[in-house]
């Protein structure tokens, strides 16, 4: 009987694995015969996509590189932005370029980038007059000198070296002073009675003027300090325009001679820089 049971069960299992089998299977147990209809069993296999490990690795590395580059760019921009809106110092100054102020950004312990402006009526700061050969001229000025430069502390102490660029827009008006009733121009005497008043204007030719200075910047407290600088800016040759109020040939000749002397004036080409000021450090 057991042999019959095992044979019947084996037949049932074999029948169920057949794809199209539908014949009944008879199982005998304790003299009772029971018929089972075998249902075909469908076995489904799901195809797994083949992983392209090469492309996946490249894509992953590329995405990582893009992410890293983006982070670096954004991080650098943020640092630059934070530096720009957080200056290291502000200074007030007065000197031959006029009255002004500047803002400094610290690049490192010994280097500071500066942006500033100096201008106004600076003539009184250097006496309000100057001599061109034998002629003395009264001067009236309206200066505008925005500048961008670098201040260095090469010895990591108070000593400083500066360099940069000025964008000069300076109006210089002059009026000649006669001496003993004459204007002596290029070793020639012109009578004030014939010439009248000699007056004119001077303009520098350079639209960009490089400059260099040396100076000192001691700190008085943790926040306050003072400074002084001397140097020069190459303003270039000058163009002068001189007129005489007299209506005589002598007046015309005197105006032309004065124009030539003013344009040959060397110190106007190399404009002296002398300034002092105070600094507040953040």
């Amino acid at each position: 009987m057991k042999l019959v049971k095992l044979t019947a069960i084996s037949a049932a299992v074999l029948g169920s694995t057949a794809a199209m089998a539908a014949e009944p299977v008879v199982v005998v147990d304790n003299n009772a015969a029971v018929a089972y209809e075998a249902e075909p069993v469908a076995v489904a296999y799901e195809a797994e996509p083949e992983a392209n490990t090469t492309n996946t690795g490249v894509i992953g590395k590329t995405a990582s590189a893009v992410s890293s580059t983006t982070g670096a760019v954004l991080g650098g921009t943020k640092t630059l932005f934070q530096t720009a809106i957080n200056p290291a110092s502000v200074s007030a100054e007065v000197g031959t370029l006029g009255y002004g102020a500047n803002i400094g950004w610290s690049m490192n312990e010994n280097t500071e980038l500066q942006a500033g402006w100096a201008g106004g009526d600076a003539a009184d700061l250097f006496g309000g007059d100057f001599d061109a050969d034998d002629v003395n001229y009264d001067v009236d000025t309206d200066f505008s000198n925005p500048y961008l430069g670098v201040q260095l502390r090469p010895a990591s102490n108070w000593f400083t070296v500066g360099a940069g660029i000025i964008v000069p827009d300076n109006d210089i008006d002059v009026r000649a002073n006669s001496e003993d009733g004459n204007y002596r121009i290029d070793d020639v005497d012109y009578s004030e009675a014939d010439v009248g008043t000699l007056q004119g204007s001077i303009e520098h030719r350079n639209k960009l003027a490089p400059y260099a200075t040396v100076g000192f910047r001691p700190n008085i407290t943790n926040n306050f300090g003072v400074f002084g600088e001397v140097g020069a800016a190459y303003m270039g040759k000058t163009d002068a325009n001189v007129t005489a109020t007299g209506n005589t040939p002598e007046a015309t000749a005197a105006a032309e001679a004065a124009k030539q002397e003013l344009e040959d004036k060397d110190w106007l080409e190399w404009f002296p820089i002398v300034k002092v000021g105070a600094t507040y450090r953040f």
Side-chain angles (χ1 to χ4, degrees):
M1 183 62 67
K2 290 182 179 180
L3 180 60
V4 174
K5 288 182 180 180
L6 291 174
T7 302
I9 292 172
S10 300
V13 172
L14 291 174
S16 65
T17 58
M20 301 299 296
E23 294 296 329
V25 177
V26 178
V27 178
V28 180
D29 187 10
N30 294 329
N31 298 323
V34 180
Y36 297 91
E37 183 175 353
E39 295 291 336
V41 178
V43 180
Y45 296 92
E46 183 176 355
E48 294 293 334
E50 182 179 356
N52 190 335
T53 56
T54 301
N55 291 340
T56 302
V58 171
I59 293 173
K61 291 180 180 179
T62 303
S64 178
V66 171
S67 178
S68 299
T69 303
T70 303
V73 170
L74 292 178
T77 303
K78 184 177 180 181
T79 301
L80 181 61
F81 177 73
Q82 288 178 338
T83 301
I85 65 174
N86 293 288
S89 65
V90 292
S91 302
E93 64 183 58
V94 59
T96 53
L97 292 175
Y99 306 87
N102 67 65
I103 301 175
W105 292 270
S106 180
M107 300 293 100
N108 54 50
E109 293 182 355
N110 298 321
T111 307
E112 186 173 274
L113 178 66
Q114 289 184 337
W117 178 90
D121 187 0
D124 292 338
L125 296 175
F126 50 88
D129 67 338
F130 69 92
D131 292 328
D133 289 339
D134 295 327
V135 181
N136 178 262
Y137 290 90
D138 288 331
V139 185
D140 184 23
T141 60
D142 184 11
F143 280 4
S144 178
N145 293 294
Y147 62 87
L148 180 66
V150 176
Q151 279 287 333
L152 303 175
R153 296 177 184 264
S156 300
N157 55 18
W158 293 359
F159 176 70
T160 62
V161 176
I165 292 291
I166 300 172
V167 187
D169 183 13
N170 301 323
D171 295 327
I172 306 173
D173 296 325
V174 297
R175 187 182 65 202
N177 296 314
S178 63
E179 184 176 353
D180 298 329
N182 292 310
Y183 300 105
R184 188 169 184 81
I185 306 171
D186 196 19
D187 298 327
V188 177
D189 290 327
Y190 299 91
S191 172
E192 184 178 8
D194 294 330
V195 174
T197 301
L198 280 174
Q199 59 189 7
S201 62
I202 303 171
E203 181 180 358
H204 291 103
R205 296 176 186 175
N206 280 11
K207 302 306 178 185
L208 294 175
Y211 74 86
T213 62
V214 294
F216 67 97
R217 288 178 173 264
N219 293 325
I220 306 303
T221 68
N222 288 335
N223 299 107
F224 286 98
V226 295
F227 67 89
E229 294 178 40
V230 295
Y234 183 69
M235 297 287 190
K237 296 289 187 178
T238 57
D239 291 322
N241 179 30
V242 180
T243 60
T245 58
N247 189 20
T248 64
E250 188 176 19
T252 302
E256 183 61 29
K259 172 182 181 298
Q260 189 62 47
E261 278 197 345
L262 288 172
E263 289 183 346
D264 291 342
K265 184 65 176 174
D266 291 339
W267 73 266
L268 290 175
E269 182 177 354
W270 288 93
F271 196 88
I273 295 177
V274 179
K275 66 169 74 174
V276 294
T279 297
Y280 179 82
R281 296 193 174 278
F282 298 101

